[in-house]
């Protein structure tokens, strides 16, 4: 696939390429990554940069003791390696894993640095993305220390609910294992199980076939009562 075809298929990415140096037209590749693919691993050398124009992925931190913590989920359009390269670091600080099929425009690290030096529009977009990620991290930092697990779990559940789906079906089921929830919330499985049991006892959630469910009435009650929101993230693309 050529760049022109890529942008025709995924027009949301066009703004990033408006002033791309012409020499890069001879030095790029377009890659498609299947779901569950590790695009890059933490602490590995980073010699490329990518723009994900389609698909969702997650950013995780892996620790020597075997624990995994999910930092964030991102959807297209997003970048691969921009933080490490702009910071001047040779190795990656996180692992990126695809959640769905992802399509990415790829160039070398050296070409990315050259592009930044020649294209102020592109530089501004990259800076905005890095600043947004820092803002999101700063906005939420400390929440796990000062909010109870029940509060954090309901907030997490709300962020996973598809509004159209729950309004059409009248309920939502969280199709995730306890281990997946642990990675994303940064809690122990024991705390998660205790929290789910407490919320079910309070009739704030339900359980069906071992999975957490939320009725439409519970959903609206949770929206009203839970003060943690993700509104600033939804405004990201405005």
């Amino acid at each position: 696939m050529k760049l022109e075809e890529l942008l025709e298929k995924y027009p949301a990415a066009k703004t990033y390429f408006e002033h791309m140096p012409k020499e890069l037209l001879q030095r790029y590749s377009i890659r498609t990554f299947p779901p569950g693919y590790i695009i890059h691993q933490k602490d590995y050398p980073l010699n490329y940069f990518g723009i994900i124009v389609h698909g969702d992925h997650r950013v995780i931190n892996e620790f020597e003791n075997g624990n995994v913590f999910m930092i964030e989920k991102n959807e297209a359009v997003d970048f691969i390696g921009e933080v490490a390269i702009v910071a001047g670091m040779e190795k990656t600080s996180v692992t990126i894993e695809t959640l769905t099929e992802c399509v990415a425009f790829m160039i070398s690290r050296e070409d990315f640095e050259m592009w930044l030096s020649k294209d102020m529009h592109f530089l501004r977009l990259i800076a905005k993305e890095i600043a947004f990620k820092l803002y999101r991290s700063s906005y939420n930092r400390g929440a796990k220390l000062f909010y109870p697990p029940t509060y954090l779990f309901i907030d997490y559940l709300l962020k996973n609910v598809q509004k159209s789906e729950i309004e059409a079906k009248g309920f939502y089921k969280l199709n995730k294992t306890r281990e997946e929830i642990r990675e994303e919330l940064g809690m122990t499985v024991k705390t998660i199980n205790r929290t789910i049991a407490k919320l079910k006892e309070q009739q704030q959630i339900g359980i069906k076939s071992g999975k957490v469910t939320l009725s439409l009435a519970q959903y609206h009650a949770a929206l009203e009562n839970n003060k943690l929101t993700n509104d600033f993230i939804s405004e990201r693309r405005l």
Side-chain angles (χ1 to χ4, degrees):
M1 184 186 297
K2 298 293 184 181
L3 179 58
E4 294 81 2
E5 297 172 302
L6 183 77
L7 298 182
E8 186 67 26
K9 191 172 183 179
Y10 306 111
K14 283 185 177 180
T15 184
Y16 299 94
F17 297 88
E18 288 177 2
H19 308 289
M20 186 182 77
K22 291 182 179 179
E23 55 262 46
L24 294 185
L25 290 173
Q26 309 300 322
R27 300 201 296 265
Y28 71 85
S29 64
I30 294 172
R31 295 192 59 184
T32 299
F33 302 105
Y37 184 86
I38 301 298
I39 297 178
H40 71 218
Q41 193 93 28
K42 179 182 178 182
D43 285 330
Y44 275 59
L46 182 66
N47 54 17
Y48 57 84
F49 164 79
I51 301 177
I52 297 179
V53 300
H54 172 74
D56 302 337
H57 64 278
R58 67 175 188 160
V59 180
I60 58 179
N61 202 347
E62 300 174 285
F63 298 96
E64 291 182 0
N65 61 7
N67 286 327
V68 174
F69 174 68
M70 193 189 80
I71 299 172
E72 60 191 10
K73 287 183 181 178
N74 292 321
E75 59 185 31
V77 175
D78 199 59
F79 305 119
I80 302 169
E82 81 285 6
V83 173
I85 297 174
V86 172
M89 306 304 292
E90 296 299 319
K91 295 182 179 180
T92 58
S93 61
V94 296
T95 295
I96 294 182
E97 179 186 13
T98 60
L99 296 171
T100 64
E101 182 178 88
C102 289
V103 180
F105 169 91
M106 309 289 290
I107 57 175
S108 70
R109 178 181 186 133
E110 292 74 21
D111 279 340
F112 172 61
E113 292 174 332
M114 179 271 289
W115 188 357
L116 285 179
S117 69
K118 292 187 175 182
D119 184 352
M120 290 301 296
H121 172 68
F122 184 61
L123 175 61
R124 182 182 65 82
L125 293 175
I126 293 290
K128 182 179 179 181
E129 179 70 15
I130 293 174
F132 168 75
K133 290 178 178 178
L134 177 60
Y135 177 86
R136 179 169 56 190
S137 175
S138 300
Y139 189 92
N140 291 309
R141 183 162 295 176
K144 291 179 176 62
L145 295 175
F146 298 106
Y147 289 101
T150 51
Y151 190 76
L152 295 172
F153 187 86
I154 288 294
D155 182 64
Y156 166 79
L157 190 57
L158 288 175
K159 289 174 181 176
N160 279 276
V161 170
Q162 295 293 324
K163 184 178 179 181
S164 58
E165 178 185 341
I166 194 170
E167 290 184 344
K169 294 183 178 180
F171 75 98
Y172 170 77
K173 183 165 70 171
L174 184 67
N175 288 311
K176 296 189 178 183
T177 65
R178 296 294 192 268
E179 182 61 24
E180 288 173 324
I181 297 171
R182 181 197 69 77
E183 288 183 9
E184 296 181 15
L185 266 179
M187 296 179 183
T188 65
V189 172
K190 183 177 179 180
T191 297
I192 291 169
N193 288 335
R194 186 166 57 240
T195 300
I196 290 173
K198 184 174 182 178
L199 288 171
K200 184 178 184 298
E201 182 182 347
Q202 296 172 347
Q203 298 185 338
Q204 294 189 56
I205 62 170
I207 299 291
K208 184 176 182 180
S209 302
K211 301 295 184 183
V212 175
T213 63
L214 203 61
S215 70
L216 189 58
Q218 289 170 330
Y219 170 68
H220 287 302
L223 283 177
E224 182 177 350
N225 295 331
N226 200 316
K227 296 179 182 178
L228 285 178
T229 70
N230 213 20
D231 289 344
F232 69 93
I233 293 178
S234 66
E235 296 171 358
R236 171 184 181 184
R237 304 300 180 190
L238 298 181

